[in-house]
């Protein structure tokens, strides 16, 4: 019998890609979701009835059900297509196998074919399998670049403490302080939330805070009223001065 979700997730790998599309003769930057995730996923047993954890797997059907997915070659936040390996005790999956991540798409051979809904959820193509995991993206690696015009750049050199992080916008002659507060997913709570979001993104002297969500682990989509700010993580490093 399914029971309320109890889900755990080890550090994930999700990278971001930026796409360009043409419309009306103008090139428009588009924030893309590209990547896969590694760690222990928990499967929703009855997607139509809300979040219910499948919890009778393994020998004797007494173990919590899981799929552990790992990127082949280790974590890399700046790649878009790569192989994955997995182990599982789900009745519908082999005990181990391989797969592929490409954009939002994830395929685990003879186990799962579907795509990400957000950084904390993936759904099979036929809608019969839904998987969740607790995960909050790290902000520390790379430089976060605004993709609309490519002029604004942000860094967050220190790991968040109590879901709050400080960083800066790289400006001249001195950087401008930035504070970000994360609202993490709470998959262990049957009421959620089931997605990690950005509660506030505040640039000192830059007006009201922005709010938004992650696009993969290497993108942020932020809004403030009718304004939009989209950031993607790119390779590089910088310090706040």
């Amino acid at each position: 019998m399914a029971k309320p979700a109890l889900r755990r997730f080890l550090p994930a790998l999700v990278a971001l890609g930026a796409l360009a599309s043409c419309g009306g003769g103008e090139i428009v930057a588009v924030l893309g979701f590209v990547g896969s995730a590694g760690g222990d996923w928990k499967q929703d047993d009855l997607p139509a009835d809300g979040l219910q954890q499948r919890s009778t797997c393994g020998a004797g059907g007494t173990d919590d059900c899981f799929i552990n997915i790992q990127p082949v070659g280790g974590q890399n936040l700046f790649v878009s297509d790569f192989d994955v390996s997995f182990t599982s005790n789900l009745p519908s999956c082999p005990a181990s196998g391989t797969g592929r991540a490409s954009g939002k798409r994830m395929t685990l051979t003879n186990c799962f074919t579907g795509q990400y809904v957000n950084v904390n959820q993936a759904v099979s193509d036929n809608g019969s399998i839904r998987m969740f995991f607790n995960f909050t993206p790290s902000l520390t690696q790379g430089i976060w670049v605004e993709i609309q015009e490519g002029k604004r750049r942000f860094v967050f050199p220190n790991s968040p403490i109590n879901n709050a992080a400080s960083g800066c916008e790289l400006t001249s002659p001195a950087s401008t302080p930035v504070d970000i507060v994360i609202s993490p997913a709470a998959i262990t709570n049957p009421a959620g939330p089931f997605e990690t979001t950005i509660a506030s993104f505040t640039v000192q002297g830059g007006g009201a805070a922005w709010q938004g969500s992650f696009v993969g682990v290497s993108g942020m989509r932020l809004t403030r009223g009718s304004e939009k700010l989209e950031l993607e993580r790119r390779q590089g490093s910088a310090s706040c001065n």
Side-chain angles (χ1 to χ4, degrees), residues 3-22:
K3 62 184 181 181
L6 173 62
R7 313 190 191 284
R8 62 190 182 276
F9 182 70
L10 302 178
L13 169 67
V14 188
L16 174 80
L19 307 177
S21 61
C22 295

Side-chain angles (χ1 to χ4, degrees), residues 163-187:
N163 301 314
S166 60
C168 64
E169 180 174 4
L170 298 174
T171 53
S172 180
S175 59
T176 302
V178 176
D179 293 306
I180 183 169
V181 177
I182 305 298
S183 177
I187 303 304

Side-chain angles (χ1 to χ4, degrees), residues 56-159:
T56 54
C57 293
T62 58
D63 297 331
D64 280 351
C65 303
F66 76 93
I67 304 173
N68 183 276
I69 308 168
Q70 297 295 334
V72 174
Q75 183 173 3
N76 186 330
L77 298 177
F78 306 100
V79 296
S80 58
D81 298 275
F82 48 88
D83 296 323
V84 299
S85 62
F86 72 90
T87 57
S88 170
N89 68 357
L90 291 176
S92 59
C93 295
S96 63
T98 59
R100 183 75 176 169
S102 180
K104 276 192 171 184
R105 303 291 300 168
M106 180 168 64
T107 300
L108 307 176
T109 305
N110 297 320
C111 179
F112 177 89
T113 300
Q115 67 179 18
Y116 292 97
V117 175
N118 54 52
V119 294
N120 304 103
Q121 180 182 162
V123 177
S124 64
D125 288 338
N126 62 10
S128 64
I129 299 175
R130 182 170 56 163
M131 299 191 296
F132 288 83
F133 51 93
N134 274 331
F135 177 61
T136 298
S138 170
L139 308 179
T140 58
Q141 296 184 47
I143 297 175
W144 295 82
V145 179
E146 165 264 317
I147 70 169
Q148 280 79 18
E149 297 182 1
K151 295 179 179 179
R152 304 184 71 177
R153 301 185 302 148
F154 302 84
V155 294
F156 299 92
N158 301 314
S159 298

